[in-house]
Each structure stands twice: as structure tokens, then as C-alpha cells.
Amino acid sequence: MDLDQKRPGIRWHTTDEEAQEPARRLPQRSITNASSLSINSVYSRGNSTDLSAALPIQYRTVSFNVSESQERGLAEVKKAKDSATNELSSLDWHTITPEELFRRLSTDSTRGLSDEQIKRRFAEYGKNVPSSPPTHYFKTVFGYFFKGFGSILLIGSILVFVCWKPLGEPPTQANLALAIVLLAVFMIQAGFNAWQDWSSSKVMASITTMLPENSLLMREGVQITTVASEIVPGDILFLKAGNKLPADVRFVDVSSDAKFDRSILTGESLPLSGTVNSTDDNYLETRCIGMQGTHCISGSATGVVVATGDKTVFGRIAKLTNEPKTGMTTLEREIFNFVIIIVSIMLTMIIVVIIVWASWLRKSHPDWINVPTLIVDCVSVAIAFIPEGLPIALTASLTICANLMKKNKVLCKSLKTVETLGAVSVICSDKTGTLTKVLSYPFSPAGRFRIMRLTIVYHQNEMYVTACAIGTTSMTPEAAQDKITMRRHDPTTSSNAADQLRAIAGLCNSAEFDAASSHRPLHERKINGDATDQAVLRFSESLGEVAYLKAFWKKEYELAFNSKNKFMIRTYSLLDTAGLGFTVALNEERNFNPDDVLLTIKGAPDVLIDRCTHYTSQAGNIHPLDDNTRRMIEEIKDEWSSQGKRVILLARKILSREQATSYDMETAVLEGSRGGLTLVGLVSIVDPPRGEIPEVVRILRGAGIRIFMKVTGDFALTAQAIAKECGIISNEPSLVKTIKALSRNADPELAKGKSLVEFDQSHGPRSYTSIVLSGPEMISLNDNQWDKLCGYDEIVFARTTPEQKLRIVREFQARNEIVGMTGDGVNDAPSLKAADIGIALGSGSDIAIEAADMVLLESFSAIVEAVQYGRVVFDNLKKTIAYLLPAGSFSEFWPVFTNVLFGLPQVLSSFLMIIICCFTDCAAATVLAYEAPEADVLLRKPRNPKKDRLVNWQLILQSYGILGLIETLSSFSISYWYLQRSGIPFSALWFKYGQVPSNLDQEYYMARLNEASSIYFVNLVVM
């Protein structure tokens, strides 16, 4: 029988279920994200392209090394794909039947592989990891020597050697010493570059191992979670929305809404539906094969692993396209532009020196500067102007960055991330899993068979049910458990209301317990699924075993929860009539026909309560839902919401087989869910904030960063209460504004550029403005209202869709804000990618991690360290430049220039000039790079990247016009004052072009000049 006909139907929708409107397209935004610190690895989760287009639920995801140049990258992938096609043409995994697939791979569809099979196949196929890209040692070593100013140092050394011999007549020992020093500096710089590259790569490699990819497999008849590197051909793999495929798989069961993003291989923006049967003879084009590195963006699927490691399509193509692609970060580019300016000035001065020599000195004073001396002077000018300490300072910054990330367990994909974070002015944070707690516990990744010594720390949200309501009565989970226990022990008790609530909570749930943790207490057991489903499933399990409950029912259809519809549906057919006693009311049990279909639905009360016409009372009976009862139920819901709890409504409906088959199954279920539902009960879920969040919010707010909260599923009251607990909202509820405060007319004060922030004496020295908005309210906002909204200090967005989250980010960006976005879910991925810096949690979905620029592996508080260092690295490089320019550039040039133009002795020798530039300045520049943060680094406003440049005219003026001038004049003065005291007046040197005063001995004259040169050197070093 065709497996497509056997599997339960799950529908994929490109329209809103409620509004029946087609998904609207959002404008694309081109993103360039390249860096020398990029982690170019298949498993690094770090290569990304534009995620910001084609939404509602179709979440575009990443592309492997295509972001820097779409056309060039896609051409390379296409070429590699064509090559891979030839290699894969003999494969027939996509054309054989599932039964033949299981036979060939000696695996079982219900039990998976045995421990013995896994051992053998792991020994045969090895780890499921790609081969390392080829290392070009010559190119790498060449870069060590000639990166930065290495080429100038080497050329200068060669020229000075030539000046020594053969041009030197006679050879000057000073030139030989200068050439040797330049060559030594050239070698030292190369060694330093090699050490930095080795140490940084070692640190980054250790960071990437902190984020292993986990997969859900069936082995020995139980579902276990293991790391992707331990997967072997023949494994049964379970996929859900948000998962990245760890290997090539042949699908044997897919939901009808299962879609996969293949842009990583093809660059196509639209997702493709998964199928069980082949749709194309081409292995690369058929939809029954899921390819490693692609993402499941909706629905669910089960597949059999057919290839791992380099044998996958991705592995074959990656071998042909994994040449390292490097680029400069924004900070490196700014430094490069600065160096270009300095080099331009240097070349100009060298040309001036050559012109003066060629047109005047060579004719008028031929004995003053000969060709070797001219060459040494030109080299001296070059050495004087080039800030040799700057590359070392930048290198030190990269090393600091890498070590800081490792210390705080932050996976940072490029230095650009830290730079941008230092300038962030707004952080929009998701709530669930980001601001709220997650449960962490160690777990053996390979279940009963451990291939490698590795312990993974799993993270699960700490959501839990705090109360439930049946009819108009609320109670604790313990009270509901007591009612079920009493009914079990007292047959005269006829009420099964609590049983009905437990049944719908367990049946209408897509979460599953991980079998490998079944021996643990209920609150420690690992659950695979959405955070809300986890809490509801744990609640249902506390009332009775869910597996026992499901044994009486067979799932026929599922509509997965999404952030647009805000509900999920599952339908069941009856397998055993014993299951009716704790699933439906007693009168419904008598009228339930064997062919009837049980429709279960769970979701947001504000969406579902209007569809309910009946409710279950405390006695377990069904009653019409009148206005008074509805009002009392909504009061319970509002009370829980005001306490910061998420409220979920559970309902059901019995469909006759005729109703279920009057249309196709999907249409019948959707029509049936639009009305006539029976409200079984409500549950309230608490989502406690992480302990560090209030302090993190306080520190970031003190740093001039506004923190906003974006919530997908909670009511405005719930979101506001949680924001208050997190410190995101500081005002009392009566002072929190709503959409009514946003006038549709232009505000003349805002038009003048004035801030919306008010100073209110009644609420302390600084009064923050707060507002709460819901997603539906955002739809009607015009530009004037967005202008006002973006001026608030504290904003909470409730019930937002992925499109609305994306719009929030872009509206703030349009108002010149540098936006950071934190999130962990599939629906956060578009806004994570669109933000100036996307920050994901290590416990988040694969798509969110892939889309983000930074991953916080452990604590959300690490963002404070990252923001601080983002500012410190900018401050310290600015200090380094301010230090290098006056003494290391300006003050060294003038002794050479006065020597050429005014005939004065070169009061600072070229040798000492090299010592300053390459030793004393480099040491000080390195120390400045390691300087601790200033006390006010987190007390000042974020810098504006468009205005606060690394090198601006104020810095140039201060370095050259003030500090440089002071250092130059003071050094000249003290040197010539010393010569004056030694019997060599300045008048005896001015325009003399090497003529020794007649009253002085040549040896005495040269000794005093060397001493004056040392004085100039010491004065510059000290100043």
C-alpha cells in the first residue's frame, strides 16, 4: 500500500487559516556577513544568507558561503552540484520502495538499528562529519610574512642592504645594522602573526565544540537523542520544524505540511514539500530525499539515513566549494582606510624628498645626500609614517575577543558581531526560552550505546502548569489529581471532568517523552517538543499515564500550531471503547459511534472561546455556554493573565464519519473546528524569567540601550506582567500606555527632532515612558504612530507574528537605531537575520542558531560582557591610534624632512626610528589593546557608527596639530639645547648641509650629534 495514503494527514498552509488571506511578501534585504573570524564549517551553524523574505510560515534559512557574493557562490555550487550529479547518478535510494529500503539497510521501521549494527557501521563509515578543507600551507605562511606592513619592511630591508653594498662607498656599518633590524622585525612580525592565528583558531575550535547538533533517532525500539556525528546509515531519524538535517535521508513518512528549505544547495527562496514517493529521476531534484544541511521549516517527517559524512550530497559539494572565503570586518575596513590615508601621505612625502633632492640638492649640494643616503632617507620616511604597532594592536584585539568568547561561552561568528554589539541602541528580545528559564541536565547522547565519551547538557524550558479550570471553577493540578484518584477508588463518583481535561491535554499534544529518560522523575524527564506542549504534557502525565491514554485512540489528522492561527488540532478514531470513559462526557459516551471522529483542539482562549457553544461542568456533564458562564471563564483567564501566566484553552468536538468525509479530511476538520466546540477547561502556565534577567536589563539600560520584549503567544496582560517581573517595564500598570496614546497625526515636537522621553518629577529623577501593544494593533499603525512608538523607553509587543517581529526590527532600523534581536524559535529566524546583530540561545532551534550572528551557549548575562567588550575594543584601538600618530609618525618624520630641506643633521637616526616604530611603540600599542574597560564604559550612550568614527578630523588634529607638534618641538628643543650647551650652536647647523664648524673636531661633532639623537629618542619614548 502507498505510504502516502497510510500516513496521517497534516496540512501545509500558505494562507491564514482564519482570514483566508494569501501570505504577503516582505521586501528583501541584502545582508553581507563576512569576516576573518568566520567559522567556515558545515557544523558551525555559522554560514548564512538572507532570511528576511517570503514569510508567513515559510522561513528561509541559510546558504553555505553564498552571502558574500550570491552570483559567484551559486555558480560554484552549481558547478559542484553538476559534478556531484555524475557521482550520484548510480544511486537509487529515491526510486526504491520503503520496504526495499529497509531490507537493503537491514533496519526495522519500528525498532531501528540494534546496538551491534551501530557499532559495526560506525567502524565502517566513521563519524558523520565532513572532511576538513585543504590547508594551503604556502599561502598561509606567505600571509604571515606579508600581512600588514610586512612587504614594506622587507622592501625597506632589501633597499638598505643594497645601500650598504654595493652602493655604499665605503660600506656604512649603520646601514648594515639598519637592514638587519628591519629584517629581524619582518621575521618577528611573521612569527607574531602565526602565533595569533594558531591561538585564535584553537580558541574558536574549542568554542564550536560547545554547541553539538543533536538528533532524535529510533534505536532498539526507543527514541533517543544523540549527537549528529554519531549517526550511521540505516538510522531512523525523526524531524520536526526547525531541525537541520544531519545526514542524507530517504523519507518514509511525512506530514502534508512538511516543507524543506534547500537554499543552502540551490539558492531557491521557496521551500519544497517533502514526499514519500520519488518525484524526479534526478537524485538531487527528487523531493523524497532530504539532504544534509537543509532545514525542515514546517511539519514533521520520518526518514532513513542513507548517507553520512563526505558521502552526502552536501559533503560531495562542500569538498569542491570549501575554499576559505575571507573578508574584512567593518572595523578592519575602517583601519584599512586609515592606513591608506597614512600611506598616501607617506608616498607624497617621499616624492617631495626625491623631487627636492633631484632638482636642488643633487646639483647645489652634491656631497650632502648621495643615492644610498637618499634611499635610506626614503625608507626612514616610510618607517616613520607607517604605524607598525597598529596591526599588532588589532591582532591582540582579535585574540582578546576569542578568549573572551570562550570564557563567557559565547559563539561569535565574526568580529563584526562584537563591534556591532558595542553600538547597539535597541535590543528586541523574545520571551519564551530567552528571558525565561530553561531546565538543564546532563544526558548520555547515545543512549545505551556510547560511541564516544561525551556528555551533552540539554536545555528545556521550565514552563509548568500552575492551575487549571473546569467550568467556572479553578483548581491546582494537585486538586485535579485528587479528583481523578477519588474517582478511581470510589465507583459511585460519576464525575469524570478532570479525566476529560487530562485526556484532551494528552491527546492534543505534539510533544513526546524521550524514552531514554523514562527512569527519571517526571519533572526531570526530557520531552521533545514545543515548550507549551511540554508543560501541558507534563501536566497530563501527572494526572495519569499518557501512553496508556493514547493506546485507545488512533491519530488521523493533525494541524500543527503556528503563530498565525494560534491553535493546534488533532483528530482521533476510536480503537477501544474503554477510552471513552475518561475522554468524553457520560451522555456523549453513550451516543459515540465506532466510526465517529474525536476532534481535539488546543490554543489561545481569545481565538477559540467564540467557537465554543458548550462547556464541561464540574460534574462532567455538557452544558450550553451562556453569556454569564462565558464572562466567569474570561474573568479566570484575565486574572491568570494579569499574574503573568500563559492561558491555554482545551476543547473538543465529536464529528460523525459522514461529517468527516463530506469533504476531504482536511477541509472537514477545519470546517468542524469553526464552531460547536465543547470547552473542556483552561490551564495556566507559568514561564519564570531567568534569575539574571532583571540585573542584565538594569545594566543595559544604564548603558543607554533600550530593551523591548516581543511575545508570540501571550496576552497583553500576561506579557506586561512578565515584563514587569523582568524589569523591562518599570512603571505601574496605570502608567503604561496603550495604542490610544499613539495619535495618527504628526507630532510637531518629533518633527523638530525632540525626544518623546519626558522628565517627570513625581516619579524620580528619570521617568521612563512605557507602552504595551498587541500584534493585531500593529497592523493599523501609520508612520506617524511608528515615530511616536519608537520613541518610548519601554515597549512590550504581545501576540506578534513572524512578519510583525520582522517589521518591528525594520521600523527601528529605519529610524537610525542599531537593533539587536534575541530569540530561539523558528518564528524568530527572519527577525534575527534582519537585525543588525541576531543573538540566539544555545537551547534554541537550529534555524534560529543558523540565522543569528551570536549564540549564547549558557547564560543570557554574557550579553553584558559582549556589549562591554564591543565598546572596549573600539575605545582601545582609538587610544592606540592616538598614541601612535604623534610620536610614531609625526615626530619621526620631521627630523628626516628638516635634514633634506634645511640641511640640518638628522637629529633622530633611522636606526632609532626603527626601534621606536617596531619595538617601543608596538609594546605600548599591545598594552593599550589589553587595557581594562573605563569605569563609565557601560554608563554612556552607544556610539553612532555614522558619526563616531574610529579616526576623525578631531583625532587627526589632536594627534598632529597638538600632541605631535608639542612632542616634535620639545624633542627638537631639548636636542638642540644640548648641542648648544656642548658648543654647537643652532646657527652652525642651519643650512650647512653637513659642513662641520671649523672650530670643532669631526669626531667630537659626530659624537655630540649621536648623543642629541639619543636625547630626541628618549624624549619621544617618555612622552
Side-chain angles (χ1 to χ4, degrees):
M1 182 182 293
D2 189 348
L3 289 185
D4 280 335
Q5 298 174 358
K6 293 167 58 179
R7 70 180 188 274
I10 304 182
R11 184 177 178 185
W12 162 257
H13 299 279
T14 55
T15 60
D16 187 336
E17 288 291 344
E18 296 308 303
Q20 292 297 318
E21 297 174 352
R24 66 183 179 91
R25 293 270 182 154
L26 290 173
Q28 294 188 5
R29 176 171 177 258
S30 178
I31 303 292
T32 299
N33 184 17
S35 170
S36 58
L37 270 184
S38 296
I39 307 168
N40 293 317
S41 167
V42 175
Y43 286 93
S44 69
R45 307 176 186 244
N47 307 291
S48 54
T49 58
D50 191 4
L51 265 170
S52 58
L55 299 167
I57 311 300
Q58 301 106 307
Y59 302 105
R60 291 193 63 203
T61 178
V62 301
S63 192
F64 182 69
N65 280 332
V66 194
S67 59
E68 187 66 27
S69 175
Q70 285 278 354
E71 294 183 0
R72 182 184 64 185
L74 289 177
E76 291 179 359
V77 172
K78 184 179 185 300
K79 181 180 178 181
K81 180 180 172 182
D82 293 339
S83 176
T85 301
N86 296 330
E87 296 180 25
L88 300 169
S89 59
S90 61
L91 297 181
D92 61 353
W93 296 119
H94 58 304
T95 58
I96 62 177
T97 64
E99 291 76 12
E100 175 65 14
L101 177 71
F102 291 127
R103 188 189 64 79
R104 283 196 193 179
L105 292 173
S106 301
T107 188
D108 187 273
S109 60
T110 58
R111 293 190 54 81
L113 296 175
S114 66
D115 288 347
E116 186 60 34
Q117 287 177 305
I118 297 168
K119 290 179 181 178
R120 288 200 308 268
R121 295 186 187 192
F122 191 81
E124 179 181 355
Y125 298 103
K127 288 185 178 181
N128 178 34
V129 294
S131 298
S132 300
T135 302
H136 301 286
Y137 292 104
F138 176 79
K139 186 176 180 181
T140 302
V141 174
F142 187 85
Y144 292 155
F145 281 98
F146 295 99
K147 185 167 60 176
F149 302 111
S151 56
I152 295 178
L153 291 171
L154 181 61
I155 292 173
S157 176
I158 293 172
L159 290 175
V160 177
F161 266 120
V162 172
C163 292
W164 173 61
K165 283 185 179 180
L167 295 182
E169 293 293 341
T172 305
Q173 297 301 317
N175 287 346
L176 174 61
L178 179 61
I180 292 173
V181 169
L182 285 173
L183 186 61
V185 172
F186 172 73
M187 302 298 292
I188 292 171
Q189 177 186 256
F192 190 86
N193 287 335
W195 172 81
Q196 186 275 330
D197 180 63
W198 174 81
S199 60
S200 294
S201 60
K202 185 177 180 181
V203 172
M204 295 305 294
S206 67
I207 293 174
T208 57
T209 60
M210 298 179 186
L211 193 63
E213 291 186 357
N214 305 324
S215 302
L216 184 63
L217 305 175
M218 175 71 73
R219 287 180 174 178
E220 289 283 1
V222 296
Q223 290 187 9
I224 66 165
T225 304
T226 188
V227 290
S229 60
E230 295 185 1
I231 292 176
V232 296
D235 266 325
I236 307 296
L237 177 69
F238 298 98
L239 301 167
K240 63 178 181 179
N243 287 162
K244 181 165 75 172
L245 274 67
D248 283 0
V249 301
R250 163 66 190 274
F251 298 129
V252 294
D253 187 18
V254 295
S255 62
S256 59
D257 63 341
K259 286 185 177 284
F260 297 87
D261 180 8
R262 289 188 175 183
S263 62
I264 192 171
L265 295 174
T266 65
E268 294 292 334
S269 61
L270 295 178
L272 301 176
S273 300
T275 64
V276 171
N277 295 321
S278 180
T279 59
D280 197 296
D281 290 337
N282 188 331
Y283 186 85
L284 296 175
E285 301 296 338
T286 184
R287 299 186 181 185
C288 69
I289 295 292
M291 299 178 189
Q292 181 193 48
T294 61
H295 286 79
C296 175
I297 60 168
S298 67
S300 59
T302 303
V304 180
V305 175
V306 296
T308 59
D310 289 335
K311 296 298 183 181
T312 64
V313 173
F314 194 95
R316 295 169 192 262
I317 295 178
K319 285 197 296 184
L320 302 176
T321 61
N322 61 3
E323 290 292 325
K325 294 178 174 62
T326 59
M328 290 188 295
T329 69
T330 52
L331 189 58
E332 289 173 323
R333 188 175 292 109
E334 198 161 339
I335 291 175
F336 178 76
N337 293 334
F338 160 68
V339 170
I340 289 296
I341 295 173
I342 295 298
V343 170
S344 300
I345 298 174
M346 174 200 76
L347 293 175
T348 302
M349 293 298 102
I350 290 176
I351 292 172
V352 169
V353 168
I354 293 174
I355 291 175
V356 170
W357 176 80
S359 62
W360 176 37
L361 296 177
R362 184 172 59 87
K363 300 174 182 178
S364 302
H365 304 280
D367 297 330
W368 174 230
I369 297 179
N370 55 21
V371 173
T373 305
L374 175 67
I375 293 175
V376 171
D377 284 343
C378 291
V379 171
S380 299
V381 171
I383 299 301
F385 264 101
I386 292 175
E388 286 86 354
L390 191 59
I392 295 179
L394 182 59
T395 296
S397 297
L398 297 178
T399 304
I400 297 169
C401 179
N403 284 289
L404 182 80
M405 290 186 292
K406 181 179 181 180
K407 177 182 177 182
N408 292 283
K409 294 189 177 179
V410 175
L411 176 59
C412 190
K413 297 177 185 176
S414 73
L415 182 61
K416 174 181 180 292
T417 301
V418 181
E419 298 164 21
T420 307
L421 197 56
V424 159
S425 58
V426 167
I427 293 180
C428 299
S429 179
D430 183 47
K431 178 184 74 75
T432 303
T434 304
L435 298 177
T436 53
K437 289 183 179 179
V438 292
L439 175 67
S440 303
Y441 57 90
F443 191 71
S444 173
R448 289 171 291 174
F449 167 61
R450 298 186 65 186
I451 296 174
M452 55 189 291
R453 286 184 171 272
L454 175 63
T455 298
I456 301 171
V457 176
Y458 285 111
H459 303 274
Q460 283 194 268
N461 196 277
E462 282 193 13
M463 277 189 179
Y464 58 91
V465 174
T466 60
C468 58
I470 299 174
T472 59
T473 304
S474 60
M475 65 188 76
T476 64
E478 291 76 16
Q481 188 175 14
D482 291 342
K483 287 182 176 292
I484 292 177
T485 303
M486 288 175 59
R487 184 167 184 261
R488 298 288 186 273
H489 292 84
D490 187 0
T492 61
T493 303
S494 59
S495 174
N496 69 341
D499 278 303
Q500 293 181 49
L501 182 63
R502 166 220 169 190
I504 303 304
L507 292 175
C508 191
N509 200 308
S510 59
E512 296 281 349
F513 283 106
D514 191 305
S517 62
S518 59
H519 61 285
R520 294 177 176 270
L522 178 59
H523 68 280
E524 293 183 6
R525 290 178 63 183
K526 184 178 186 298
I527 300 177
N528 300 307
D530 172 76
T532 301
D533 279 343
Q534 290 181 28
V536 175
L537 181 64
R538 215 179 291 274
F539 164 72
S540 179
E541 183 76 8
S542 70
L543 301 181
E545 189 177 354
V546 174
Y548 174 78
L549 174 71
K550 289 184 175 181
F552 299 107
W553 299 92
K554 177 185 177 182
K555 186 180 74 170
E556 291 195 346
Y557 169 82
E558 176 179 352
L559 173 66
F561 176 88
N562 65 63
S563 56
K564 294 178 70 69
N565 298 330
K566 303 190 187 302
F567 61 80
M568 73 165 291
I569 298 175
R570 274 192 175 184
T571 62
Y572 291 88
S573 58
L574 186 64
L575 293 177
D576 191 330
T577 56
L580 293 173
F582 40 77
T583 305
V584 299
L586 297 179
N587 58 332
E588 290 179 315
E589 179 181 359
R590 290 190 290 267
N591 298 325
F592 194 97
N593 294 319
D595 291 336
D596 288 346
V597 174
L598 177 67
L599 184 152
T600 64
I601 188 167
K602 173 177 96 263
D606 58 329
V607 174
L608 297 181
I609 196 166
D610 290 335
R611 304 182 179 201
C612 296
T613 56
H614 295 78
Y615 75 98
T616 301
S617 67
Q618 277 287 315
N621 299 319
I622 304 303
H623 299 280
L625 183 60
D626 54 44
D627 291 340
N628 184 55
T629 305
R630 182 191 301 269
R631 178 185 56 78
M632 296 174 68
I633 292 174
E634 289 186 342
E635 286 177 356
I636 295 174
K637 181 226 10 169
D638 292 341
E639 179 185 358
W640 287 345
S641 296
S642 65
Q643 296 170 359
K645 298 175 181 178
R646 175 174 293 185
V647 184
I648 303 296
L649 185 148
L650 302 168
R652 70 166 186 269
K653 182 178 182 180
I654 298 175
L655 301 176
S656 66
R657 181 56 62 178
E658 290 75 19
Q659 289 176 300
T661 57
S662 57
Y663 308 96
D664 61 276
M665 186 66 172
E666 297 173 357
T667 304
V669 169
L670 290 173
E671 287 298 321
S673 66
R674 293 185 182 278
L677 300 178
T678 298
L679 194 160
V680 177
L682 303 175
V683 294
S684 73
I685 302 173
V686 67
D687 196 4
R690 296 170 183 256
E692 72 270 18
I693 293 300
E695 180 65 11
V696 170
V697 171
R698 185 191 66 78
I699 294 174
L700 294 180
R701 182 169 286 158
I705 301 173
R706 293 183 291 165
I707 314 293
F708 304 146
M709 188 171 81
K710 299 190 295 184
V711 185
T712 302
D714 290 333
F715 294 106
L717 282 174
T718 305
Q720 181 177 331
I722 294 174
K724 177 73 173 176
E725 193 174 353
C726 292
I728 293 176
I729 284 186
S730 58
N731 287 316
E732 295 301 319
S734 59
L735 298 176
V736 178
K737 307 293 185 182
T738 64
I739 192 174
K740 296 178 181 179
L742 303 177
S743 170
R744 299 188 68 83
N745 300 320
D747 190 327
E749 296 299 316
L750 286 177
K752 294 177 184 178
K754 294 186 177 181
S755 174
L756 179 69
V757 176
E758 301 173 354
F759 186 84
D760 190 346
Q761 292 283 0
S762 62
H763 295 94
R766 175 70 166 85
S767 178
Y768 293 105
T769 54
S770 309
I771 189 169
V772 176
L773 281 165
S774 67
E777 291 172 335
M778 286 173 51
I779 298 174
S780 62
L781 297 183
N782 61 20
D783 287 342
N784 294 328
Q785 289 173 302
W786 274 107
D787 289 338
K788 297 182 181 69
L789 177 62
C790 292
Y792 275 82
D793 297 304
E794 303 169 346
I795 308 176
V796 172
F797 299 96
R799 289 202 174 282
T800 51
T801 64
E803 300 98 321
Q804 290 164 347
K805 290 185 178 184
L806 188 61
R807 186 181 180 188
I808 291 168
V809 169
R810 289 183 171 169
E811 291 290 351
F812 278 103
Q813 288 174 329
R815 287 156 182 82
N816 297 319
E817 301 284 358
I818 305 299
V819 181
M821 168 69 190
T822 66
D824 65 344
V826 177
N827 58 352
D828 297 318
S831 49
L832 283 171
K833 189 59 187 177
D836 294 286
I837 173 170
I839 306 167
L841 276 295
S843 56
S845 67
D846 291 343
I847 289 182
I849 291 172
E850 201 86 46
D853 302 295
M854 173 186 289
V855 182
L856 306 180
L857 300 176
E858 191 169 88
S859 173
F860 187 77
S861 62
I863 195 173
V864 173
E865 295 291 335
V867 169
Q868 176 176 269
Y869 182 74
R871 297 183 178 190
V872 169
V873 69
F874 186 86
D875 290 350
N876 288 352
L877 284 174
K878 205 174 184 72
K879 293 175 187 176
T880 300
I881 291 174
Y883 170 80
L884 291 174
L885 290 186
S889 177
F890 190 80
S891 301
E892 292 179 6
F893 164 72
W894 282 106
V896 178
F897 199 68
T898 56
N899 171 257
V900 174
L901 201 60
F902 304 124
L904 292 169
Q906 186 173 323
V907 74
L908 180 66
S909 69
S910 299
F911 179 82
L912 292 179
M913 205 177 293
I914 296 295
I915 297 299
I916 290 176
C917 289
C918 301
F919 290 97
T920 61
D921 274 4
C922 288
T926 304
V927 171
L928 285 173
Y930 282 89
E931 188 172 359
E934 300 290 344
D936 67 339
V937 70
L938 289 178
L939 297 177
R940 58 179 186 248
K941 291 183 178 179
R943 67 181 177 90
N944 186 335
K946 294 183 179 179
K947 298 179 181 179
D948 303 326
R949 307 302 298 270
L950 181 66
V951 179
N952 50 29
W953 68 268
Q954 293 100 326
L955 180 62
I956 296 292
L957 178 62
Q958 181 191 23
S959 299
Y960 287 163
I962 300 176
L963 295 179
L965 195 60
I966 292 173
E967 292 182 10
T968 302
L969 292 177
S970 63
S971 298
F972 268 126
S973 299
I974 196 170
S975 297
Y976 287 119
W977 177 79
Y978 172 78
L979 291 175
Q980 179 82 24
R981 293 289 301 269
S982 301
I984 306 176
F986 183 74
S987 59
L989 304 174
W990 182 256
F991 284 108
K992 298 303 180 181
Y993 297 102
Q995 295 180 12
V996 180
S998 57
N999 61 333
L1000 295 178
D1001 178 68
Q1002 174 78 22
E1003 186 175 338
Y1004 175 85
Y1005 176 79
M1006 294 306 299
R1008 299 293 82 76
L1009 287 182
N1010 289 335
E1011 290 169 356
S1013 179
S1014 299
I1015 290 172
Y1016 195 104
F1017 168 81
V1018 171
N1019 191 69
L1020 278 186
V1021 172
V1022 172
M1023 290 188 72

